[in-house]
Amino acid sequence: MPDVPGPPPANQLLIGLARLGQAVRMQAWRNAGPHHLSPLQADIITLLDGRGHPIRQGEIVEELASTPPTVSDAVKVLRRKELLEGTRDPADARALLLGLTAAGRVEAARLNVQSAELTDAVAALSGDDFAAMLRGTTTMIRELQDRNAIPISRMCLTCRFFVPHAHPVRDRPHHCDFVDAPFGDAELRVSCPDHENAGPGSGDPGPPGAS
Ligand code: SF4
């Protein structure tokens, strides 16, 4: 039987992921809102909202895989728009911590509402497909992190509280020691405020039903 024409399956998957990323980025441009946010400015607000407390500018650079001058420019604009404010770090008086103002938190709530198009696209997945995509995505992110290709994400697979396949049940095999509760692939976190890094090679959820 002749081979299926076109790029190999791995490339097809990467092309598909790039298309999804393109859709998310296009939505970010369309969702500039009343403060005319660029996607990077929106990412900074969403990051600070997810953390729930002020952080240093260097952490923003690292988390968003950006550069200090690029983030510095975006932070200046956000402070001018009165969405961010700086406070002195109690641990080091020379360092500045950046956090959201009340207006910044309102903007974060607006950004947390996904577009109808993206919401409907996710809703088109079956429960099993949703869990498989989340599991596959987090596995690929972890592999790239282990190769220093991307910064560390605050996700279950790199978290010291994550215990994969702790329970002999198909739907909720994993355990989060932080909240002391079982959960399934469909509830894996890619960005969790309670994450603490466990180091490389941790927490592979494996195939479904591996417990
Ligand atoms: S604390 Fe968050 S990242 Fe860590 S295992 Fe629990 S849900 Fe996952």
Side-chain angles (χ1 to χ4, degrees):
M1 185 186 290
D3 287 343
V4 175
N11 288 17
Q12 296 288 353
L13 176 61
L14 295 176
I15 291 168
L17 291 174
R19 292 291 288 174
L20 291 176
Q22 194 180 29
V24 172
R25 217 57 185 163
M26 282 169 65
Q27 181 53 37
W29 279 112
R30 286 193 203 111
N31 193 26
H35 295 284
H36 309 289
L37 299 177
S38 70
L40 176 60
Q41 291 165 19
D43 284 347
I44 292 172
I45 288 178
T46 303
L47 170 63
L48 288 171
D49 183 54
R51 287 296 188 90
H53 58 79
I55 59 176
R56 292 189 187 185
Q57 190 165 298
E59 281 185 71
I60 299 175
V61 173
E62 199 175 315
E63 284 256 352
L64 299 181
S66 188
T67 62
T70 306
V71 168
S72 178
D73 287 348
V75 163
K76 275 185 206 143
V77 174
L78 288 170
R79 291 187 74 175
R80 248 193 337 262
K81 292 176 180 176
E82 300 185 349
L83 300 173
L84 289 197
E85 60 188 358
T87 52
R88 289 285 150 208
D89 186 344
D92 180 355
R94 291 164 305 172
L96 197 65
L97 295 175
L98 294 167
L100 295 178
T101 61
R105 285 192 289 278
V106 170
E107 196 55 11
R110 188 188 69 78
L111 290 168
N112 279 332
V113 178
Q114 294 297 341
S115 72
E117 290 90 348
L118 292 177
T119 303
D120 289 350
V122 173
L125 296 170
S126 69
D128 283 350
D129 283 351
F130 178 89
M133 278 194 77
L134 200 46
R135 187 176 59 247
T137 305
T138 53
T139 298
M140 286 181 69
I141 292 172
R142 207 270 321 274
E143 288 294 323
L144 290 166
Q145 287 177 173
D146 285 354
R147 287 163 174 72
N148 295 320
I150 55 172
I152 299 286
S153 289
R154 301 174 67 81
M155 62 180 193
C156 293
L157 270 61
T158 58
C159 179
R160 74 180 186 87
F161 298 118
F162 181 55
V163 187
H165 306 294
H167 307 286
V169 286
R170 184 179 184 277
D171 288 348
R172 311 192 91 191
H174 316 308
H175 195 88
C176 171
D177 277 345
F178 185 81
V179 291
D180 193 19
F183 66 105
D185 288 344
E187 297 154 296
L188 285 167
R189 297 279 189 274
V190 177
S191 177
C192 173
D194 304 315
H195 172 277
E196 288 186 19
N197 197 20
S202 53
D204 185 352
S211 49

